Amino acid sequence: MSPTRIAIAGLGAIGKTLARRISDGTLPGLTLAAIASGDRAKAEAWLKSEGIACPVVDLADFPKLADLAVECAPASIIEEICVPMLKAGKKVMVLSCGALLPRPHLMELAKAHGGQIIVPTGALLGLDAVTAAAEGTIHSVKMTTRKPPVGLKGAPYLIEKGLDMDKVTTPTLVFSGTAREAAKGFPANVNVAAALSLAGIGPDRTTIDIWADPGVTRNCHSIEVDADSAKLTLAIENIPSENPKTGRITALSVIAALRKLNAPLRIGT
Ligand SMILES: NC(=O)C1=CN([C@@H]2O[C@H](COP(=O)(O)OP(=O)(O)OC[C@H]3O[C@@H](n4cnc5c(N)ncnc54)[C@H](O)[C@@H]3O)[C@@H](O)[C@H]2O)C=CC1
Ligand SMILES: O=C([O-])CC(=O)C(=O)O
């Protein structure tokens, strides 16, 4: 069987970890085929320093070079990454999944051309159980996120409300609303809420409270799901990566999902 060719869009905290792990050959049946970066020269210099041989290309070139593209770039360029791949009937693994909520046409494009959008569990946990519960009836899904203020800095919602994260000295509830509203107001901070909503009862019935908490050093998410099959109480404390907004486990979740693509034994839903 020929190897599955993987492209990476975005060579940041997640993309660099992926590039290292795919190129070192520890993921059977996968090869690193292409990378797209916001800064081509910087990307080429980093790849050289790591001894990774991989072309840096334009996003439009992905469909001819790769079978699956991992989107780990700013949410604002999700269309540029997904549209060419999906039109070619290929797969895209999307990390900026909050940006999927206002873009149902991307799912339609996947359906029309036989492509697929894969949202990995990412910085969260329990999406296996939530998707299983969704095959029955889920009554409610509530999430609480608690991050160090620096992990929320720059969010459009905070800027709009004039909330300065440098001035937060006590735990502060900065947002309470639906996953859809959270994805819009915090596009680089709570993709996890979007993933949870897509797994369960959708972005308008999934709710989230976001706390800026100077007392925590990790990105903490807790989830309560009430369903006719089970009651779930889930919690994760993510150690930040080189990007304080992004937990280290996110790239590992992508690697685990990629490993499952061709695995002879597949664990979990
Ligand atoms: N679903 C989940 O559980 C999680 C999702 N995320 C999301 O994943 C995405 C990536 O996260 P990080 O790696 O931490 O971000 P990052 O900011 O470290 O890296 C993003 C990279 O994209 C590059 N980029 C900018 N414009 C580009 C373009 N036109 N083409 C290609 N690359 C471009 C930037 O130069 C940067 O290196 C973010 O949207 C983040 O919010 C992060 C953590 C968890
Ligand atoms: O917890 C993390 O590490 C990242 C996070 O919330 C997200 O992007 O959704």
Short mmCIF file of all heavy atoms in Angstrom, two decimals, residues 9-15 36-39 59 71-75 77 80 95-97 121-124 187-189 191-192 243 245-247 250, ligand 1:
data_model
loop_
_atom_site.label_atom_id
_atom_site.label_comp_id
_atom_site.label_asym_id
_atom_site.label_seq_id
_atom_site.Cartn_x
_atom_site.Cartn_y
_atom_site.Cartn_z
N ALA A 9 -0.47 22.64 7.29
CA ALA A 9 -0.71 24.07 7.07
C ALA A 9 -0.49 24.80 8.37
O ALA A 9 -1.30 24.68 9.30
CB ALA A 9 -2.13 24.30 6.56
N GLY A 10 0.62 25.53 8.48
CA GLY A 10 0.93 26.28 9.71
C GLY A 10 2.04 25.61 10.48
O GLY A 10 1.87 24.50 10.98
N LEU A 11 3.18 26.26 10.54
CA LEU A 11 4.34 25.65 11.23
C LEU A 11 4.57 26.39 12.56
O LEU A 11 5.62 26.96 12.79
CB LEU A 11 5.56 25.75 10.31
CG LEU A 11 6.68 24.73 10.50
CD1 LEU A 11 6.18 23.30 10.53
CD2 LEU A 11 7.74 24.89 9.42
N GLY A 12 3.55 26.32 13.41
CA GLY A 12 3.65 26.93 14.74
C GLY A 12 3.82 25.85 15.79
O GLY A 12 4.46 24.82 15.56
N ALA A 13 3.22 26.08 16.98
CA ALA A 13 3.40 25.14 18.10
C ALA A 13 2.97 23.72 17.71
O ALA A 13 3.68 22.75 17.98
CB ALA A 13 2.60 25.63 19.30
N ILE A 14 1.82 23.60 17.07
CA ILE A 14 1.32 22.26 16.70
C ILE A 14 2.08 21.74 15.48
O ILE A 14 2.57 20.61 15.46
CB ILE A 14 -0.21 22.31 16.42
CG1 ILE A 14 -0.96 22.74 17.68
CG2 ILE A 14 -0.71 20.96 15.91
CD1 ILE A 14 -2.44 23.03 17.47
N GLY A 15 2.18 22.58 14.43
CA GLY A 15 2.79 22.16 13.17
C GLY A 15 4.21 21.65 13.32
O GLY A 15 4.60 20.66 12.69
N ALA A 36 2.88 24.35 4.35
CA ALA A 36 2.62 25.75 3.99
C ALA A 36 2.79 26.59 5.24
O ALA A 36 2.37 26.17 6.33
CB ALA A 36 1.21 25.92 3.43
N SER A 37 3.41 27.74 5.07
CA SER A 37 3.72 28.56 6.23
C SER A 37 3.39 30.02 5.93
O SER A 37 3.38 30.44 4.77
CB SER A 37 5.21 28.42 6.56
OG SER A 37 5.63 29.45 7.40
N GLY A 38 3.14 30.78 7.00
CA GLY A 38 2.92 32.22 6.82
C GLY A 38 4.20 32.93 6.41
O GLY A 38 4.18 34.00 5.84
N ASP A 39 5.35 32.29 6.70
CA ASP A 39 6.66 32.88 6.41
C ASP A 39 7.55 31.79 5.82
O ASP A 39 8.14 30.98 6.54
CB ASP A 39 7.25 33.44 7.71
CG ASP A 39 8.57 34.17 7.50
OD1 ASP A 39 9.28 33.86 6.53
OD2 ASP A 39 8.87 35.05 8.33
N LEU A 59 -0.65 26.95 -0.35
CA LEU A 59 -1.80 26.11 0.06
C LEU A 59 -2.51 25.52 -1.17
O LEU A 59 -2.99 24.38 -1.13
CB LEU A 59 -2.79 26.95 0.87
CG LEU A 59 -2.32 27.35 2.27
CD1 LEU A 59 -3.26 28.40 2.86
CD2 LEU A 59 -2.22 26.14 3.17
N GLU A 71 -4.78 21.18 9.25
CA GLU A 71 -4.90 22.64 9.41
C GLU A 71 -4.50 22.99 10.84
O GLU A 71 -5.20 22.63 11.79
CB GLU A 71 -6.35 23.07 9.11
CG GLU A 71 -6.64 24.55 9.30
CD GLU A 71 -6.84 24.95 10.76
OE1 GLU A 71 -7.42 24.17 11.53
OE2 GLU A 71 -6.40 26.05 11.12
N CYS A 72 -3.35 23.64 11.01
CA CYS A 72 -2.95 24.12 12.35
C CYS A 72 -2.39 25.53 12.18
O CYS A 72 -1.25 25.80 12.51
CB CYS A 72 -2.00 23.17 13.04
SG CYS A 72 -0.69 22.48 12.04
N ALA A 73 -3.24 26.37 11.64
CA ALA A 73 -2.89 27.74 11.26
C ALA A 73 -3.90 28.70 11.90
O ALA A 73 -4.82 28.24 12.58
CB ALA A 73 -2.92 27.85 9.74
N PRO A 74 -3.75 30.00 11.70
CA PRO A 74 -4.79 30.90 12.22
C PRO A 74 -6.16 30.57 11.61
O PRO A 74 -6.26 30.24 10.42
CB PRO A 74 -4.30 32.29 11.77
CG PRO A 74 -2.82 32.13 11.58
CD PRO A 74 -2.63 30.73 11.09
N ALA A 75 -7.21 30.68 12.46
CA ALA A 75 -8.56 30.33 12.02
C ALA A 75 -8.99 31.11 10.78
O ALA A 75 -9.78 30.62 9.97
CB ALA A 75 -9.54 30.60 13.17
N ILE A 77 -7.69 31.61 8.02
CA ILE A 77 -7.38 31.10 6.67
C ILE A 77 -7.94 29.69 6.44
O ILE A 77 -7.51 28.97 5.54
CB ILE A 77 -5.87 31.15 6.35
CG1 ILE A 77 -5.04 30.31 7.32
CG2 ILE A 77 -5.38 32.59 6.30
CD1 ILE A 77 -3.65 30.00 6.79
N GLU A 80 -8.98 28.87 2.81
CA GLU A 80 -7.86 28.67 1.86
C GLU A 80 -7.26 27.27 1.98
O GLU A 80 -6.71 26.75 1.02
CB GLU A 80 -6.74 29.69 2.16
CG GLU A 80 -7.04 31.10 1.72
CD GLU A 80 -6.00 32.05 2.28
OE1 GLU A 80 -4.81 31.91 1.95
OE2 GLU A 80 -6.38 32.92 3.09
N LEU A 95 -7.89 21.87 13.16
CA LEU A 95 -7.68 22.25 14.57
C LEU A 95 -8.44 23.51 14.93
O LEU A 95 -8.93 23.66 16.05
CB LEU A 95 -6.18 22.44 14.82
CG LEU A 95 -5.36 21.20 15.21
CD1 LEU A 95 -5.91 20.56 16.47
CD2 LEU A 95 -5.31 20.18 14.11
N SER A 96 -8.52 24.45 13.98
CA SER A 96 -9.25 25.70 14.25
C SER A 96 -10.74 25.44 14.02
O SER A 96 -11.39 26.09 13.19
CB SER A 96 -8.76 26.80 13.31
OG SER A 96 -7.36 26.94 13.38
N CYS A 97 -11.27 24.49 14.79
CA CYS A 97 -12.61 23.98 14.47
C CYS A 97 -13.72 24.96 14.84
O CYS A 97 -14.84 24.82 14.34
CB CYS A 97 -12.83 22.61 15.09
SG CYS A 97 -12.54 22.58 16.86
N THR A 121 -9.73 15.14 18.79
CA THR A 121 -10.12 15.54 20.15
C THR A 121 -9.31 16.75 20.61
O THR A 121 -9.76 17.54 21.42
CB THR A 121 -9.95 14.35 21.11
OG1 THR A 121 -10.70 13.25 20.59
CG2 THR A 121 -10.49 14.66 22.49
N GLY A 122 -8.12 16.92 20.06
CA GLY A 122 -7.32 18.13 20.32
C GLY A 122 -6.99 18.29 21.79
O GLY A 122 -6.53 17.36 22.45
N ALA A 123 -7.24 19.48 22.31
CA ALA A 123 -6.88 19.79 23.69
C ALA A 123 -7.93 19.29 24.68
O ALA A 123 -7.86 19.60 25.86
CB ALA A 123 -6.70 21.30 23.84
N LEU A 124 -8.91 18.52 24.18
CA LEU A 124 -10.01 18.11 25.05
C LEU A 124 -9.92 16.62 25.40
O LEU A 124 -8.91 15.96 25.14
CB LEU A 124 -11.33 18.44 24.36
CG LEU A 124 -12.54 18.70 25.24
CD1 LEU A 124 -12.26 19.82 26.23
CD2 LEU A 124 -13.74 19.03 24.41
N PRO A 187 -11.59 33.02 18.98
CA PRO A 187 -11.26 32.06 17.91
C PRO A 187 -9.97 31.29 18.12
O PRO A 187 -9.81 30.21 17.56
CB PRO A 187 -11.18 32.95 16.66
CG PRO A 187 -10.98 34.34 17.16
CD PRO A 187 -11.65 34.41 18.50
N ALA A 188 -9.05 31.82 18.94
CA ALA A 188 -7.78 31.11 19.14
C ALA A 188 -7.68 30.51 20.54
O ALA A 188 -6.62 30.08 20.96
CB ALA A 188 -6.61 32.07 18.92
N ASN A 189 -8.80 30.49 21.27
CA ASN A 189 -8.72 30.08 22.68
C ASN A 189 -9.63 28.93 23.08
O ASN A 189 -9.32 28.19 24.01
CB ASN A 189 -9.04 31.26 23.60
CG ASN A 189 -8.34 32.53 23.20
OD1 ASN A 189 -8.86 33.24 22.36
ND2 ASN A 189 -7.17 32.78 23.73
N ASN A 191 -11.34 26.52 20.86
CA ASN A 191 -11.75 25.57 19.81
C ASN A 191 -12.35 24.33 20.43
O ASN A 191 -13.18 23.64 19.83
CB ASN A 191 -10.55 25.20 18.94
CG ASN A 191 -10.17 26.35 18.03
OD1 ASN A 191 -10.89 26.67 17.10
ND2 ASN A 191 -9.05 26.99 18.32
N VAL A 192 -11.89 24.01 21.63
CA VAL A 192 -12.38 22.83 22.33
C VAL A 192 -13.90 22.87 22.51
O VAL A 192 -14.56 21.84 22.40
CB VAL A 192 -11.68 22.67 23.70
CG1 VAL A 192 -10.30 22.10 23.54
CG2 VAL A 192 -11.62 23.98 24.46
N ASN A 243 3.25 27.97 22.58
CA ASN A 243 2.17 28.94 22.44
C ASN A 243 1.29 28.81 23.70
O ASN A 243 0.66 27.77 23.90
CB ASN A 243 1.36 28.62 21.18
CG ASN A 243 0.17 29.55 21.01
OD1 ASN A 243 -0.14 30.35 21.88
ND2 ASN A 243 -0.51 29.42 19.88
N LYS A 245 -1.52 29.70 24.48
CA LYS A 245 -2.95 29.42 24.25
C LYS A 245 -3.20 27.94 23.97
O LYS A 245 -4.31 27.46 24.04
CB LYS A 245 -3.45 30.23 23.04
CG LYS A 245 -3.35 31.72 23.19
CD LYS A 245 -3.93 32.39 21.94
CE LYS A 245 -3.89 33.89 22.03
NZ LYS A 245 -2.56 34.47 21.81
N THR A 246 -2.15 27.22 23.58
CA THR A 246 -2.30 25.85 23.06
C THR A 246 -1.64 24.83 23.98
O THR A 246 -0.45 24.92 24.27
CB THR A 246 -1.64 25.79 21.65
OG1 THR A 246 -2.39 26.61 20.77
CG2 THR A 246 -1.59 24.38 21.10
N GLY A 247 -2.42 23.85 24.39
CA GLY A 247 -1.87 22.80 25.25
C GLY A 247 -0.98 21.84 24.46
O GLY A 247 -1.21 21.60 23.27
N THR A 250 -2.38 18.85 22.37
CA THR A 250 -3.10 19.03 21.10
C THR A 250 -2.36 18.35 19.94
O THR A 250 -2.96 17.59 19.18
CB THR A 250 -3.27 20.54 20.79
OG1 THR A 250 -3.69 21.20 21.97
CG2 THR A 250 -4.27 20.76 19.68
N1 LIG B 1 -8.90 22.02 18.47
C1 LIG B 1 -8.12 22.18 19.53
O1 LIG B 1 -8.25 21.46 20.52
C2 LIG B 1 -7.07 23.23 19.53
C3 LIG B 1 -6.94 24.08 18.46
N2 LIG B 1 -5.96 25.01 18.42
C4 LIG B 1 -5.92 25.88 17.23
O2 LIG B 1 -4.98 25.35 16.31
C5 LIG B 1 -4.43 26.43 15.51
C6 LIG B 1 -2.90 26.35 15.53
O3 LIG B 1 -2.43 26.47 16.86
P1 LIG B 1 -0.89 26.74 17.19
O4 LIG B 1 -0.02 25.81 16.45
O5 LIG B 1 -0.77 26.82 18.65
O6 LIG B 1 -0.75 28.22 16.59
P2 LIG B 1 0.59 29.05 16.31
O7 LIG B 1 0.20 30.48 16.35
O8 LIG B 1 1.71 28.58 17.16
O9 LIG B 1 0.94 28.65 14.80
C7 LIG B 1 0.18 29.04 13.68
C8 LIG B 1 1.13 29.11 12.51
O10 LIG B 1 0.39 29.40 11.31
C9 LIG B 1 1.24 30.20 10.49
N3 LIG B 1 0.51 30.89 9.44
C10 LIG B 1 0.05 32.17 9.42
N4 LIG B 1 -0.49 32.44 8.21
C11 LIG B 1 -0.36 31.32 7.45
C12 LIG B 1 -0.69 31.01 6.10
N5 LIG B 1 -1.27 31.89 5.29
N6 LIG B 1 -0.41 29.76 5.64
C13 LIG B 1 0.18 28.85 6.44
N7 LIG B 1 0.53 29.11 7.73
C14 LIG B 1 0.26 30.33 8.23
C15 LIG B 1 1.93 31.15 11.47
O11 LIG B 1 3.11 31.65 10.90
C16 LIG B 1 2.18 30.23 12.66
O12 LIG B 1 3.47 29.66 12.59
C17 LIG B 1 -4.98 27.72 16.13
O13 LIG B 1 -6.10 28.17 15.39
C18 LIG B 1 -5.43 27.29 17.51
O14 LIG B 1 -6.45 28.08 18.03
C19 LIG B 1 -5.03 25.11 19.41
C20 LIG B 1 -5.13 24.29 20.50
C21 LIG B 1 -6.18 23.32 20.68
#
